[in-house]
Amino acid sequence: MDFALNEEQLELQQLVREFVAKEITPYAAQMDKENHMRDELVPLAAEMGLLNVMVPEELDGMGLDSVSIAAIYEELGKGCAGVATSIAANSLATLPVMIAGTDEQKQIWAEVVNNGGMAAFALTEPGAGSDAGGVATKAVKDKEAGTYTLNGTKMFITNGGIADIYLILANVRKSGGIRGLTCFIVPKGTPGLSVGKKEDKMGIRPSNTCELVLQDVVVPEANRVGREGEGFRIAMKTLDSARPFVGAIAVGIAQAALDCATKYAKERRQFDQPIASFQLVQGMIADMAMKVDAARLLVYKACCLRDEGKDFAKEAAMAKCYASDVAMEVTTDAIQVMGGYGYSKEYPVEKMMRDAKIMQIYEGTNQIQRLVIANKILY
Ligand code: COS
């Protein structure tokens, strides 16, 4: 397994690094404060080809391999994990269609995200988070009309208020349970689909996180992705694929915090010398650097396995879990190195610490990741 980025990947990484330095980092604090991603960013990200990385080339998408996507998301995560989350949600929502969609569904979906459209993956509900099988949104089939009618409420949906197309999970069984879970494509503007409360979050504030209300939303049978009852398996496969990318964003946050603390330690003078000359500070920086590198290697390992078509579910969970724990630890330590300045909004590390926290929670809590890892090892 070769973890070195090839020339093409290095070029792409450099392009995204420049994009982040120009269009994201200078606005990160402002977007955090305003709880809003600057409007120019979506068209700019589309122009850069960041919204359709998961769409294959034959459908005019970027068709990138997982390692390249991870390299891109790490760069985005360095600039602002909120923006990275919003952009990565396009991949998350695209995955179920690419995994189980018909050629026509793939084409319809690709058309949207290839043309600068945002997408949202709507699984979570007020009563269904870790327990994905607990989805209460119902889909009732009308055989004669060839339609399904969806009713329910989704919660904490990334891009919920700005998406042009939604992948929504609903249950076709009255009694619920994972065997009734089914995926549906629902375009923005479908009658009965409305955007509810927008979350006022602790971190990743530029990413739009909203409630979605489905009230008698009628979709044609042609919008069902996969078979009835196949939704749980599709969702699990989707989450397996998306987890290393959460890990990549977390690595980006951690690397940015480490860079910030390192620079500060060399500049900040106490007792007539830079604090970088103190061994206790050096120890913290060394520990932070080891963790960031180890997290990145786990992310790349999961991505390489996925690209090689091998089983990667355990490594995906490890990458997501370890990298997000590292992001939390490293951002906390970066603030410690920077003392009162680190705690102040004058420096970006306090935002990074707030952003890091969600990485341990979303797309499967780290408790769920540990369950997945243990199950893969034990059974
Ligand atoms: N890929 C394909 N199929 C999978 C799968 C995977 N990664 N994981 C489970 N399945 C299948 C199983 O093979 C099983 O199928 P059969 O019943 O036909 O044998 C079925 O799904 C149920 O599997 P299992 O019994 O392991 O499911 P559990 O109900 O125990 O749930 C966890 C497993 C907890 C791991 C799962 O619910 C989960 O990942 N939850 C977290 C969801 C999440 O990330 N939520 C965040 C919001 S979404 S952004």
Side-chain angles (χ1 to χ4, degrees), residues 92 121 123-124 129-133 178-179 232-233 236-237 239-240 243 313 361-365 368-369 371-372 375-376:
L92 178 68
F121 176 76
L123 167 65
T124 303
S130 294
D131 179 10
I178 62 170
R179 307 230 174 265
F232 188 78
R233 194 186 63 84
M236 289 302 114
K237 283 184 134 190
L239 291 167
D240 283 343
R243 280 169 184 156
I361 298 171
Y362 73 7
E363 291 190 35
T365 63
I368 291 287
Q369 308 309 322
L371 277 186
V372 172
N375 276 332
K376 290 276 174 196

Side-chain angles (χ1 to χ4, degrees), residues 46 61-62 107 110 131 196 217 231 264 303 355 359 368:
M62 295 298 285
Q107 243 155 19
D131 179 10
V217 173
Y264 180 90
C303 290
D355 288 349
M359 303 289 144
I368 291 287

Side-chain angles (χ1 to χ4, degrees), residues 292-314:
V292 175
D293 249 33
R296 184 180 293 110
L297 288 174
L298 266 182
V299 168
Y300 281 173
K301 182 180 177 187
C303 290
C304 282
L305 288 172
R306 181 174 187 267
D307 290 341
E308 288 168 6
K310 294 185 178 146
D311 188 2
F312 66 101
K314 182 183 78 197

Side-chain angles (χ1 to χ4, degrees), residues 14 18 21 39 64 101 158 165 259 311 328 335 339 347 349 368:
Q14 186 55 32
E18 286 163 17
D39 296 332
L64 295 182
T158 301
I165 198 158
D259 292 346
D311 188 2
M328 201 61 231
I335 292 180
Y347 285 88
V349 284
I368 291 287

Side-chain angles (χ1 to χ4, degrees), residues 5 9 12-13 16-17 20 48-50 53 62 64-78 84 87 248-249 300:
L5 299 184
Q9 289 166 332
L12 185 64
Q13 183 187 46
V16 178
R17 193 168 283 167
V20 169
M48 281 286 295
L50 299 177
V53 293
M62 295 298 285
L64 295 182
D65 59 274
S66 311
V67 174
S68 300
I69 297 174
I72 290 176
Y73 288 177
E74 179 182 335
E75 293 308 314
L76 294 173
K78 282 182 195 167
I87 289 176
I249 299 174
Y300 281 173

